Amino acid sequence: MVAQVRKTRSEEKILTAAADLFYANGLRGVHIDQVIAASGVAKSTLYVHFRTKDELVAAYLRTTDDSWTAQLQDAAARAGADPREQLVGVFDALTAAFDRHGFFGCPFVSAAVEADLDSQARAITVQHTQRRQAWLTELSEKAGAAAPQTLARHIGLLIDGALASGRLLQDRTVVDEAKSAARLLVTSHT
């Protein structure tokens, strides 16, 4: 049991350190020795959990997918019971992210830009987008959208655009503007 607890704690430390480094510096901008130093684990410990940097990147992206999806869903839920308000409320997750640590952009867009087309990292980014879009489509259906997939795609584009513009401009008003645009879209589609 002690070995399992130690393994879990080490893995958590590695993933936390990797997430901070990858988010701030990109996938290619981080060397495995930086992750080892930041996590405080031995090199051998890191390689017990992640045989390659690609495996570490994949674990980081999967963890980030779960976390970011939960943040989007929580923001939607806090907006109330009306699915139309939930679609707009999603943008509060972006504002909260900016308030926590500034805009470093979307980790999935960053990964997709840096990763090879046939890489596991790119496949995970595509899965994340598909998962997000399926959820937004479901919300759009509940909101009574005449074309739920279209509304979901538009909301997804606003999310991606706000994250990209936020990274470029370091200005949280881009999220406010994306949220206003989302409100107009939801109104016109429902």
Side-chain angles (χ1 to χ4, degrees):
M1 183 67 175
V2 173
Q4 181 62 36
V5 170
R6 185 175 299 127
K7 177 181 177 184
T8 302
R9 285 188 186 152
S10 295
E11 189 171 1
E12 268 181 39
K13 287 168 65 175
I14 293 164
L15 280 171
T16 299
D20 291 344
L21 290 166
F22 289 147
Y23 186 63
N25 303 297
L27 304 180
R28 292 183 183 166
V30 176
H31 190 273
I32 205 74
D33 289 337
Q34 291 172 285
V35 176
I36 291 166
S39 66
V41 302
K43 185 180 265 191
S44 60
T45 301
L46 182 133
Y47 285 114
V48 163
H49 297 288
F50 307 101
R51 293 184 324 231
T52 65
K53 183 179 175 184
D54 289 340
E55 283 185 16
L56 178 59
V57 166
Y60 153 70
L61 289 171
R62 284 189 190 101
T63 301
T64 302
D65 176 32
D66 291 340
S67 173
W68 185 235
T69 299
Q71 290 173 55
L72 291 171
Q73 291 174 344
D74 288 346
R78 284 192 308 276
D82 185 345
R84 292 172 298 182
E85 289 301 316
Q86 291 177 352
L87 284 164
V88 175
V90 164
F91 291 86
D92 293 340
L94 281 68
T95 302
F98 182 81
D99 290 346
R100 272 194 312 276
H101 44 64
F103 269 132
F104 289 98
C106 176
F108 300 101
V109 171
S110 297
V113 168
E114 292 186 56
D116 293 332
L117 291 176
D118 61 347
S119 69
Q120 187 176 14
R122 185 171 185 292
I124 294 167
T125 64
V126 169
Q127 290 167 359
H128 164 77
T129 302
Q130 291 170 338
R131 179 179 174 191
R132 182 193 70 191
Q133 290 309 114
W135 173 67
L136 289 172
T137 300
E138 182 181 315
L139 267 183
S140 297
E141 288 170 353
K142 289 178 183 176
Q149 289 182 331
T150 301
L151 177 56
R153 276 194 305 273
H154 290 166
I155 298 291
L157 287 169
L158 285 173
I159 291 168
D160 293 340
L163 289 169
S165 291
R167 166 96 190 213
L168 178 65
L169 302 173
Q170 292 298 304
D171 182 357
R172 80 180 282 211
T173 60
V174 298
V175 176
D176 298 333
E177 292 165 354
K179 185 175 180 178
S180 293
R183 188 170 301 287
L184 292 171
L185 278 170
V186 169
T187 299
S188 72
H189 279 265
T190 59

